[in-house]
Amino acid sequence: MKPLILGLAFFILAGCVPAPTTAPSGDGEARWMARRAQLACRPSWEVQGRVGLVANGEGWTARLTWRQEAERYSISLNGPLGTGGVRIDGDQRLLTVQSAGETRYFEMGPEDALWQVTGQRLPLEGLRYWLLGVDAPGSPSDPVWDDKGRLRQLTQDGWTIQYLAYRSAFGWDLPSRLAADRSDVRIKLVIQDWVSLTTEACAP
């Protein structure tokens, strides 16, 4: 195995904990339901951190900046992605991808656009919610929470996400380290800074 892959494998696996098999009962469930309802549709937030991926014997790491404003998003990945870096800006209708000095326009989801440009795939549509520590709406999920109502593990859309650490920000315990696994793809996310989180929840 190449040194880069070994290093990335260590980065991906470091800090992983055995997967829980059952969800705690009692107050934890009520706290999870309340937490989920309040965080799931926060309209605006921004994070900065790092992401690492190992897939098909290849691996890379990149700096991540993600800004979400209602349905508009701006996702920057800066690092060895084969193109040096990618920025995706879009909404539900149209998105632009800037990479290697070129701007391209797509009428598709951000995951498919990233794949078209780099040949790499990240679960960007799910991550919009997983980064907040909740499951994505409209898709079956299997959450496991702790006695504070925080996710310990989430299975959704074929991915298993482990929540390895939280940090306090804007009055919430928000995820700071996540590991996601699907088939032979492994992703590790380290959130270095929760830059912003809107104080008001979405309208009913």
Side-chain angles (χ1 to χ4, degrees):
M1 185 177 289
K2 298 178 182 179
L4 172 61
I5 304 303
L6 283 170
L8 284 167
F10 177 80
F11 176 75
I12 295 294
L13 294 172
C16 289
V17 297
T21 56
T22 58
S25 60
D27 290 345
E29 181 174 8
R31 290 171 180 168
W32 154 245
M33 296 300 290
R35 176 184 174 88
R36 180 193 196 192
Q38 294 177 58
L39 282 174
C41 55
R42 293 277 156 168
S44 302
W45 49 266
E46 181 179 349
V47 297
Q48 296 176 351
R50 297 192 65 83
V51 57
L53 179 146
V54 174
N56 302 318
E58 304 262 336
W60 53 262
T61 62
R63 295 186 303 276
L64 168 70
T65 299
W66 188 319
R67 182 181 300 109
Q68 189 78 36
E69 296 180 0
E71 295 304 320
R72 292 199 57 80
Y73 52 82
S74 177
I75 305 167
S76 296
L77 294 163
N78 297 308
L81 283 164
T83 59
V86 176
R87 175 168 170 165
I88 302 172
D89 294 278
D91 53 28
Q92 292 181 317
R93 298 181 302 276
L94 180 71
L95 62 86
T96 62
V97 179
Q98 300 176 46
S99 177
E102 181 183 7
T103 300
R104 298 171 64 181
Y105 299 88
F106 296 89
E107 293 184 4
M108 60 178 64
E111 294 179 26
D112 293 331
L114 183 66
W115 171 259
Q116 290 281 336
V117 173
T118 69
Q120 306 288 349
R121 190 178 292 277
L122 288 174
L124 297 176
E125 294 171 6
L127 278 171
R128 171 182 172 179
Y129 299 93
W130 301 342
L131 286 172
L132 288 167
V134 298
D135 52 347
S139 177
S141 66
D142 184 13
V144 178
W145 52 84
D146 63 16
D147 57 3
K148 295 182 179 180
R150 305 174 305 184
L151 281 181
R152 295 170 58 195
Q153 179 175 292
L154 176 67
T155 302
Q156 189 171 33
D157 296 333
W159 290 92
T160 298
I161 305 99
Q162 291 189 15
Y163 289 81
L164 308 175
Y166 284 83
R167 66 189 302 176
S168 179
F170 303 101
W172 294 91
D173 283 344
L174 297 172
S176 59
R177 286 196 297 131
L178 300 80
D181 193 312
R182 186 178 73 175
S183 186
D184 62 345
V185 179
R186 292 188 175 185
I187 299 169
K188 178 71 177 289
L189 284 147
V190 177
I191 304 303
Q192 296 167 321
D193 187 18
W194 276 92
V195 178
S196 65
L197 176 69
T198 186
T199 55
E200 67 275 1
C202 62

